[in-house]
Amino acid sequence: MKLRPEEITSILKERIEQFDVETNLAEVGSVLQVGDGIARIHGLENCVALEMLELEHGVVGLAFNLEEDNVGAALFGEWDLVKARQPVKEPLQTGIKAIDSMTNVGRGQRELIIGDRSTGKTAIAIDTILNQHDQDVKCIYVAIGQKASTVAQVVERLRDAGAMEYTTVVNAAASEAAPIKWIAPFAGCAMAEYFLYEGEHALIIYDDLTKQADAYRQLSLLLRRPPGREAFPGDVFYLHSRLLERACKLSDERGGGSLTALPIIETQAGDISAYIPTNVISITDGQIFLQSDLFFSGVRPAVNVGTSVSRVGSSAQTKAMKKVAGRLRLDLAQYRELEAFAQFGSELDQATQQALNRGEKMVATLNQPQYQPWPMEEQVAALYAGVNGYLDDIATEDVPRFQDELRESLRTQAEIYKGIRETGDLSDEAAEQLNTEIERVKARFQPSSGAEAA
């Protein structure tokens, strides 16, 4: 058989033209959230059920849920090494002594404000916004199902204080249809996330999620979804969890931004064991419980120390605040117990009387008028005077005046406040200066009688 060169050439050209290198296509996704050995991963469009997924640090995942925009995966191995966030460790100052000292909020935290109608829930939220004027925090206030006049008053208050320069108000008024009230918090959250992913800090307030849940129930019943407990649909828990889980503190690699959420829930007759309150309590990182009895007895803000808690703890407090507020929560809880016991009128020993007296003075110290947030350094000085017994022999009704005079006096002695503000700590030297100044102001007050010294 004779081979012809042109034939061989044509065969080779044809083979070269038809040659196809087999490429290995690998899909790469990003972890949206992770916890308890479960991860939600975005970007795996072609993933199939029960497919093995390879993550960083040698962690292996198994595709468990195939959803529209993400894959739910079960993780095996050291899954806690898989991160896209960092722990909450920076304080978000509310300017409210009772909160910053005992139920402090950190940047990236979700702290629930819960209580009956007209107990000061919105007031705490507005005070927190007002206190961000020099904190470099963008604020989003989402009003859900409220009267237009009420929202207008809030906006006017924020405008008068100059807070609208860094605040966005999202309003789904009471007159709006249920779908608008349902979607408004998600719209507000998307606006806040813009700042989060730009590496900035944002605060979002949902006022309130009870009305959002009611709107979602209405929407679900009209669309004939099966009702569950209290006629809410079964996925009402997911409604709030997917909203609140978006609050976080991002890792430094992703810009280090934060989104802090302050959801508000309204209770009926102080019942925090109802369906929606228990749902949101289980999602959030703590709660500030406002009690009607305290509110009507003149304690403002009406924070119930025993029920309120911040699960972030002192990790999101400044060193100075840790030093002065370490035992404050326990002392106040003990005071409330003794106060109830003392109403029986039995004779009390000296230690009990002293604890009751100290508790009265601390309650008076923590009382704070609305729309008057205190800077951190002023809070530290006021609490320092209380926990160290300087107020014990001052009449309770004189405590607010004493604190105001001390505050003004320390403003003239700017070094003490400046040192606490810049270092975030209360040094021994600053404490000595503070002792001297407190004694100087205290000399103007007569012990026990409450009358001014002649």
Side-chain angles (χ1 to χ4, degrees), residues 34-82:
V34 63
D36 298 323
I38 306 294
R40 290 194 174 274
I41 304 169
H42 174 73
L44 303 180
E45 299 291 336
N46 298 311
C47 182
V48 298
L50 300 180
E51 185 173 11
M52 299 292 284
L53 308 173
E54 185 180 345
L55 288 88
E56 292 180 345
H57 311 292
V59 178
V60 174
L62 196 67
F64 209 76
N65 271 22
L66 301 181
E67 300 184 16
E68 204 170 308
D69 57 350
N70 67 80
V71 173
L75 304 183
F76 306 102
E78 296 185 65
W79 62 265
D80 53 336
L81 297 176
V82 179

Side-chain angles (χ1 to χ4, degrees), residues 120-399:
K121 301 186 297 297
T122 301
I124 286 177
I126 300 306
D127 281 357
T128 305
I129 292 176
L130 296 180
N131 198 51
Q132 305 312 311
H133 65 94
D134 59 350
Q135 303 289 321
D136 195 28
V137 175
K138 304 295 189 299
C139 301
I140 314 287
Y141 177 76
V142 185
I144 311 155
Q146 297 187 40
K147 290 190 297 183
S149 59
T150 304
V151 180
Q153 288 172 0
V154 169
V155 171
E156 199 58 36
R157 170 60 64 178
L158 294 173
R159 185 175 286 118
D160 290 345
M164 287 304 292
E165 293 180 9
Y166 55 86
T167 304
T168 303
V169 176
V170 179
N171 184 25
S175 56
E176 292 284 0
I180 303 299
K181 297 176 200 169
W182 161 58
I183 209 68
F186 295 100
C189 190
M191 297 175 196
E193 281 181 326
Y194 167 80
F195 301 108
L196 167 69
Y197 291 113
E198 287 291 312
E200 299 182 46
H201 303 286
L203 165 70
I204 187 161
I205 291 155
Y206 304 110
D207 192 5
D208 62 274
L209 293 187
T210 310
K211 294 185 178 70
Q212 189 210 16
D214 290 345
Y216 190 61
R217 172 171 60 184
Q218 179 184 339
L219 190 66
S220 300
L221 291 174
L222 288 171
L223 292 173
R224 296 175 177 270
R225 286 194 177 187
R229 180 177 164 186
E230 295 181 23
F232 286 103
D235 65 342
V236 73
F237 180 87
Y238 177 54
L239 167 76
H240 289 149
S241 67
R242 66 177 171 174
L243 175 69
L244 294 171
E245 288 289 349
R246 290 161 74 172
C248 66
K249 167 75 173 157
L250 289 179
S251 61
D252 291 332
E253 293 77 19
R254 294 184 175 271
S258 71
L259 173 55
T260 309
L262 293 180
I264 295 176
I265 288 289
E266 185 179 299
T267 54
Q268 304 292 328
D271 183 14
I272 60 173
S273 62
Y275 188 35
I276 299 302
T278 50
N279 277 356
V280 183
I281 284 172
S282 67
I283 299 166
T284 49
D285 307 312
Q287 68 273 350
I288 299 164
F289 179 43
L290 305 179
Q291 197 167 358
S292 302
D293 296 347
L294 293 173
F295 185 85
F296 295 128
S297 66
V299 179
R300 313 283 173 84
V303 178
N304 181 318
V305 181
T307 316
S308 302
V309 67
S310 173
R311 297 190 183 97
V312 171
S314 59
S315 60
Q317 273 183 322
T318 59
K319 288 182 180 178
M321 187 61 81
K322 284 182 199 175
K323 286 180 179 178
V324 297
R327 63 177 187 269
L328 177 60
R329 180 187 175 84
L330 191 62
D331 287 349
L332 276 179
Q334 183 185 22
Y335 164 68
R336 291 295 175 201
E337 291 292 326
L338 292 173
E339 187 185 33
F341 175 73
Q343 289 175 349
F344 291 108
S346 57
E347 291 186 12
L348 304 172
D349 60 83
Q350 190 175 354
T352 304
Q353 289 177 358
Q354 188 176 352
L356 283 167
N357 179 48
R358 177 72 61 86
E360 273 185 19
K361 304 304 162 57
M362 290 314 303
V363 168
T365 295
L366 293 173
N367 269 8
Q368 193 168 335
Q370 194 175 350
Y371 307 133
Q372 294 182 25
W374 283 41
M376 179 271 293
E377 61 274 14
E378 295 185 0
Q379 293 185 41
V380 168
L383 294 171
Y384 180 88
V387 298
N388 287 290
Y390 286 107
L391 307 178
D392 288 357
D393 54 353
I394 293 178
T396 304
E397 60 268 21
D398 281 345
V399 168

